[in-house]
Amino acid sequence: MTRWTTAALLTALALTGLTGLTACSENDSPSSVASKVASAASRAGDAVASATAEAGKRFDDIKNGVDAKDDVRLGSLSTASDGRTTVAVTAANSAGSAKSFAVQVDFTDGTGKLLDAVVVTVADVPAGGTGKGTARSTHDLPGNAGDVRAKVSRAVRY
């Protein structure tokens, strides 16, 4: 197996969390390995599309929300014991009454490629106060927390 094919296979495994492709036999041809990699990459793309669609649905359900992206801050990324990437979310409520926040956090790689998208609800933040939540990736992300970035894609106060 060539070095490029091995690297591509390992990347696909990291993206999808698959373990069934970890062993290659001498009977694997370059085309069969490439087919396995393409299939795994397709499933990884489907997972990101699904997470993004789910995030969109959550925001569609919010009525009379106000853009609050500037009122939300993210902490440092870490990797939980289950392998998922997490980041602390802090929402500051400048309204005159208690409000909740829906925050979409996008996890990307170093090049900006979207790896995952999640929506966190920070509920019942008191007027003039802050509330905290944690964004947790929906699947294991490739690399380690140093290779992954997080950004607030959208935030709504309601």
Side-chain angles (χ1 to χ4, degrees), residues 20-138:
L21 298 177
T22 56
C24 293
S25 70
E26 291 181 18
N27 295 331
D28 286 340
S29 68
S31 63
S32 71
V33 171
S35 176
K36 290 176 185 177
V37 169
S39 177
S42 174
R43 286 190 295 276
D46 291 346
V48 171
S50 176
T52 304
E54 181 61 31
K57 287 181 201 173
R58 298 268 309 269
F59 279 90
D60 290 345
D61 291 340
I62 297 171
K63 305 299 180 215
N64 301 317
V66 176
D67 179 18
K69 188 174 177 181
D70 292 338
D71 297 329
V72 177
R73 300 287 176 257
L74 299 179
S76 299
L77 290 164
S78 62
T79 303
S81 61
D82 64 358
R84 303 294 170 90
T85 302
T86 64
V87 63
V89 177
T90 303
N93 183 8
S94 58
S97 61
K99 299 290 181 179
S100 294
F101 290 75
V103 180
Q104 179 177 335
V105 176
D106 289 349
F107 293 100
T108 62
D109 67 9
T111 67
K113 178 182 173 190
L114 183 64
L115 302 172
D116 200 1
V118 297
V119 176
V120 176
T121 300
V122 181
D124 302 321
V125 179
T130 59
K132 297 189 181 294
T134 301
R136 182 177 179 276
S137 65
T138 61

